[in-house]
Amino acid sequence: MADGKMEKNGVIFTSQSHLPIPAFDPPQKPKKNKYALACSFLACMTSILLGYDIGVMSGAIIYIQKDLKITDVQKEVVMGIFSLYSLIGSALAGRISDRFGRRLTIVFAGAIFFVGALLMGLATNYAFLMIGRFVAGIGVGYALMIAPVYTAEVAPTSCRGFLLSFPEVFINIGILLGYVSNLAFSKLPTNLGWRFMLGVGTIPSLFLATVIIFMPESPRWLVMQGRLAEAKRVLDKTSESLDESKLRLIDIKEAAGIPENCDDDVVSVPKQNRGDGVWRELLLHPTPAVRHIILCGVGVHFFQQASGIDSVVLYSPEIFQRAGIQNDTHKLLATMAVGFVKLCFTLVSTFLLDKIGRRPLLLTSAAGCAFCLTGLAIGLTYIGNSDERLVWAVALCMASILCYVSVFALGMGPITWVYSSEIFPLKLRAQGCAMGIASNRVTSSVISMTFISLSNAITIGGAFFLYAGVAAIAWVFFYTLYPETQGKTLEEMETYFGTFFKWRSTMMALEEKKLESKGLIHVENSSIGPT
């Protein structure tokens, strides 16, 4: 064609478009930015604190119960109350991170957990132990909220999923370290072993509080404060090219209400774009898009915990005992296997998130969890109703637990943090993520504090049948309401939400509009219906 256009199947390609020829112009695989990787790595290491506490308490509680002579109800409380305490930290961290910055909030998290771990290690009675868990829980709440937010705001779009999966990776590293600590100190006298198990948590928290001081501040937070020159320097370091850095800065400035042509080093940012009125926009007068985002952000955290993962991780020794393993060392070794498998599959997930996408992994994971929990429930039910040792049922329980943590780690584990961290608009991100964490921690505490009572009321097999049903509901929820976020910038994310069950039609229309605006396609008299 004379004007450089070519028509194919009703779609017009302009001369501006460039189609790679595989033999001469193979697509280049984007390289992950090492500086952004290092920043995300350090920030997400704070998640080790939560993982370590979960892992170490699963074994330490055996010796705490023997030493302090606590009841089953007190055991449930000391295990599950930690999640409620961390909820307080998450609620505080949103506002503090907007005022003092993401980096300092991470430092606070490490310092507070250090004090809490020290108090737990020195505890002489149940009340003293609960004080230590309260302080440590506040620190973990800070870390849970701020690490994904910081990572989302530093990461380039092409590898955001990979970097945002780091919190779940480090949670699982912490869980495994907690299991190792249980085994390492299990041979000490009962009154010393559990104190060493809990007190060792001071080491990673002190390291983190010291190292994170040297990290850069989030570029999006800097723009919200009007510090454009500093934000530009951080974006130049964390982007894959200078062109991408410029585009990211333009998008962030637009989201913060700063004119695109403003190039001053420091500017005044309108108060309404600096975090004022956030809760009003989130809860009192949300737009349809924000309402949809809240539903998805809070929902993914709720179903992650409601499907029973903390019951399996925290009470693994108890579950293995019900399955027929009586020796304490053997129970701890089996629990270590759970932690190891969970970590391995979390690592696999980190490399699939930006290749396969969020939705396929999330849906596969939810379906797999429902199937594996059903298998575990069947095995435990047969064991509970038999006077003989059923080898096949024990094997089914072991296989079901390992498969469950595998499929959970493949999707519902890491994607919860990835998805909820990237969908909220800039102004609402810190508080929005805090709402998701609140849902996570409340659900976790309810599950953790009721598992033994629930097992006694409806049998342990019945408890896992219940969790399997929740996982099945989660699959339906994810399938109907969750748009794919892979490859979308944080600033354009809001446009894909707001139509709830009709998000597929919205996404198709937006993608077509984007291609038209770039001059790549032109479709006449097109109509888009629901998919």
Side-chain angles (χ1 to χ4, degrees), residues 482-493:
Y482 281 60
E484 179 59 72
T485 59
Q486 178 193 18
K488 312 296 187 298
T489 69
L490 294 180
E491 284 64 42
E492 71 177 347
M493 198 73 71

Side-chain angles (χ1 to χ4, degrees), residues 485-505:
T485 59
Q486 178 193 18
K488 312 296 187 298
T489 69
L490 294 180
E491 284 64 42
E492 71 177 347
M493 198 73 71
E494 190 175 357
T495 60
Y496 294 91
F497 291 82
T499 51
F500 296 90
F501 299 105
K502 298 179 181 179
W503 62 265
R504 292 172 178 82
S505 299

Side-chain angles (χ1 to χ4, degrees), residues 374-387:
T374 301
L376 177 60
I378 291 172
L380 289 170
T381 299
Y382 270 97
I383 291 171
N385 293 325
S386 175
D387 295 328

Side-chain angles (χ1 to χ4, degrees), residues 83-265:
S83 295
L84 285 182
Y85 292 155
S86 64
L87 171 61
I88 300 172
S90 294
L92 294 172
R95 192 63 177 173
I96 288 174
S97 69
D98 277 347
R99 178 166 296 183
F100 298 105
R102 316 310 197 205
R103 180 181 59 179
L104 281 180
T105 307
I106 298 174
V107 174
F108 293 156
I112 295 170
F113 187 86
F114 172 84
V115 175
L118 193 62
L119 290 174
M120 287 191 292
L122 297 174
T124 55
N125 54 48
Y126 184 75
F128 196 161
L129 178 62
M130 289 294 285
I131 292 172
R133 293 196 58 72
F134 172 77
V135 176
I138 298 293
V140 162
Y142 272 57
L144 278 179
M145 197 290 293
I146 198 59
V149 170
Y150 177 88
T151 303
E153 296 182 347
V154 167
T157 302
S158 63
C159 59
R160 190 175 62 240
F162 173 76
L163 296 178
L164 275 172
S165 63
F166 277 18
E168 184 68 14
V169 171
F170 283 110
I171 286 175
N172 284 282
I173 290 174
I175 290 172
L176 186 57
L177 289 175
Y179 291 159
V180 171
S181 177
N182 287 336
L183 191 61
F185 296 114
S186 62
K187 301 303 180 183
L188 292 177
T190 302
N191 65 329
L192 290 178
W194 67 267
R195 290 184 169 86
F196 273 97
M197 294 174 190
L198 298 178
V200 165
T202 58
I203 296 174
S205 58
L206 181 62
F207 170 78
L208 291 169
T210 304
V211 171
I212 287 167
I213 296 248
F214 301 99
M215 286 168 45
E217 186 50 84
S218 156
R220 287 177 171 85
W221 182 82
L222 291 171
V223 171
M224 287 171 64
Q225 307 305 308
R227 294 153 62 177
L228 299 185
E230 293 178 59
K232 183 180 182 303
R233 285 195 293 270
V234 176
L235 285 169
D236 287 346
K237 290 182 178 180
T238 57
S239 300
E240 293 170 354
S241 68
L242 291 178
D243 288 339
E244 185 193 26
S245 173
K246 292 176 183 177
L247 290 174
R248 289 175 71 188
L249 182 58
I250 290 171
D251 287 341
I252 298 169
K253 284 161 66 176
E254 181 182 354
I258 300 173
E260 180 182 334
N261 58 359
C262 180
D263 293 322
D264 296 339
D265 289 349

Side-chain angles (χ1 to χ4, degrees), residues 42 56 111 208 277:
L42 288 172
V56 80
L208 291 169

Side-chain angles (χ1 to χ4, degrees), residues 224-407:
M224 287 171 64
Q225 307 305 308
R227 294 153 62 177
L228 299 185
E230 293 178 59
K232 183 180 182 303
R233 285 195 293 270
V234 176
L235 285 169
D236 287 346
K237 290 182 178 180
T238 57
S239 300
E240 293 170 354
S241 68
L242 291 178
D243 288 339
E244 185 193 26
S245 173
K246 292 176 183 177
L247 290 174
R248 289 175 71 188
L249 182 58
I250 290 171
D251 287 341
I252 298 169
K253 284 161 66 176
E254 181 182 354
I258 300 173
E260 180 182 334
N261 58 359
C262 180
D263 293 322
D264 296 339
D265 289 349
V266 179
V267 300
S268 177
V269 179
K271 283 188 176 182
Q272 65 268 25
N273 293 322
R274 296 183 63 174
D276 293 357
V278 166
W279 290 113
R280 184 167 58 252
E281 289 189 38
L282 278 172
L283 301 177
L284 298 181
H285 305 292
T287 63
V290 170
R291 195 178 294 116
H292 188 183
I293 287 171
I294 292 172
L295 181 64
C296 291
V298 172
V300 72
H301 276 283
F302 168 78
F303 282 112
Q304 185 202 51
Q305 294 297 328
S307 58
I309 186 62
D310 274 5
S311 292
V312 172
V313 175
L314 272 173
Y315 293 99
S316 286
E318 181 91 12
I319 296 169
F320 288 129
Q321 181 174 333
R322 299 282 188 99
I325 301 174
Q326 301 300 323
N327 183 276
D328 284 350
T329 301
H330 292 168
K331 284 187 287 187
L332 293 178
L333 285 171
T335 301
M336 278 186 61
V338 170
F340 180 76
V341 170
K342 192 167 183 284
L343 173 59
C344 288
F345 277 86
T346 302
L347 290 171
V348 170
S349 178
T350 63
F351 293 98
L352 297 178
L353 277 167
D354 289 316
K355 295 179 180 178
I356 296 178
R358 284 55 157 164
R359 269 180 61 84
L361 289 176
L362 192 60
L363 293 171
T364 301
S365 178
C369 286
F371 179 79
C372 295
L373 286 168
T374 301
L376 177 60
I378 291 172
L380 289 170
T381 299
Y382 270 97
I383 291 171
N385 293 325
S386 175
D387 295 328
E388 300 178 0
R389 179 178 172 83
L390 302 176
V391 177
W392 69 267
V394 174
L396 176 62
C397 289
M398 286 292 298
S400 296
I401 289 176
L402 293 177
C403 288
Y404 169 63
V405 296
S406 300
V407 294

